Amino acid sequence: MNSLNKEKTNVILALYKEPRSVFRLNDIAAMIEEPRPDALYKRLNYYVQGGKILNPRKGIYAKENYSMEELAGILYTPSYISFESVLQSRGITFQYSSVITLASYLSRKVKVNGSEIVYRKIKSEILVNPIGIQNINNKSIATPERAMLDTMYLDKNYSFDNISSLDKKLLAEILPIYNSKILARRLNRLLNSL
């Protein structure tokens, strides 16, 4: 067996060489070119039992100290981190919450190893539009402008603490994907109140 084939069959080595920290069974099968998912499943469970990798959810495998946000992003796809998670991290809202919030094709609350993940359903044409979505460290994350518009779109009474850092031009570029005159009027009122 040549060294390239040996490396491909060494699952643990292949996983730890990847910058990602969370994987689906299919991701690993493609990475090591394993044509038999059932054999790989047994092998991965052996590694989980031995403590070499983690299995935080069925069909999901992770390195030690994996990113919970990365996990949240692959549990239900398509999805991206938005709403309070982004607004709080960027100082747009001040109230702290440890809940990870994502825009998704469904509404669901999930607990994984003590962390709460909330998926909020948003229209598919909004969800799949890439404007205002960044890929940072293997996570799809809304810009603060996109997160604010997502939040305003789903919650008309949401209150923001500090919007002075938002890019008005980017807000104007993202706004049309919502196809909502009501949202446009509310945004205009909010920006004029500055």
Side-chain angles (χ1 to χ4, degrees):
M1 180 182 279
N2 68 34
S3 63
L4 181 62
N5 286 340
K6 207 178 228 183
E7 187 174 305
K8 286 183 179 180
T9 58
N10 187 335
V11 177
I12 302 303
L13 179 62
L15 291 180
Y16 278 88
K17 279 188 168 186
E18 281 287 311
R20 296 181 293 168
S21 65
V22 181
F23 308 87
R24 290 188 193 98
L25 178 65
N26 295 346
D27 298 333
I28 300 169
M31 198 180 343
I32 65 166
E33 298 177 11
E34 172 60 68
R36 302 164 304 156
D38 54 329
L40 178 60
Y41 176 76
K42 288 178 184 173
R43 210 155 120 203
L44 290 172
N45 284 335
Y46 173 78
Y47 293 137
V48 168
Q49 297 299 317
K52 294 183 190 254
I53 58 173
L54 304 172
N55 182 216
R57 297 278 290 186
K58 184 176 181 180
I60 305 288
Y61 298 91
K63 299 176 189 177
E64 192 174 325
N65 300 321
Y66 64 92
S67 163
M68 190 57 74
E69 289 179 332
E70 192 179 337
L71 172 76
I74 71 165
L75 282 179
Y76 299 101
T77 54
S79 64
Y80 58 89
I81 298 165
S82 187
F83 308 110
E84 290 86 358
S85 289
V86 173
L87 297 173
Q88 177 184 300
S89 73
R90 299 302 291 268
I92 312 294
T93 58
F94 299 149
Q95 187 170 353
Y96 175 75
S97 173
S98 61
V99 175
I100 300 169
T101 53
L102 295 92
S104 182
Y105 63 94
L106 50 68
S107 292
R108 183 149 305 159
K109 288 183 181 181
V110 178
K111 279 210 171 205
V112 179
N113 294 334
S115 294
E116 187 174 355
I117 304 167
V118 174
Y119 297 88
R120 296 186 67 190
K121 184 177 181 174
I122 201 159
K123 280 203 274 185
S124 60
E125 50 278 10
I126 298 169
L127 180 64
V128 298
N129 193 310
I131 189 167
I133 305 293
Q134 305 167 319
N135 190 341
I136 302 171
N137 297 325
N138 304 304
K139 298 173 272 215
S140 293
I141 303 175
T143 61
E145 293 79 8
R146 173 80 180 245
M148 181 178 145
L149 289 170
D150 285 347
T151 303
M152 289 177 72
Y153 181 75
L154 293 183
D155 186 352
K156 66 181 182 179
N157 296 318
Y158 196 90
S159 179
F160 303 94
D161 297 313
N162 178 20
I163 62 169
S164 62
S165 65
L166 295 176
D167 181 338
K168 291 180 183 179
K169 185 179 176 197
L170 185 53
L171 283 166
E173 288 175 21
I174 297 170
L175 184 62
I177 71 172
Y178 298 91
N179 194 24
S180 170
K181 291 178 183 175
I182 294 169
L183 178 60
R185 283 194 299 271
R186 287 180 43 233
L187 178 62
N188 197 28
R189 275 194 311 270
L190 183 64
L191 294 177
N192 287 334
S193 70
L194 291 177

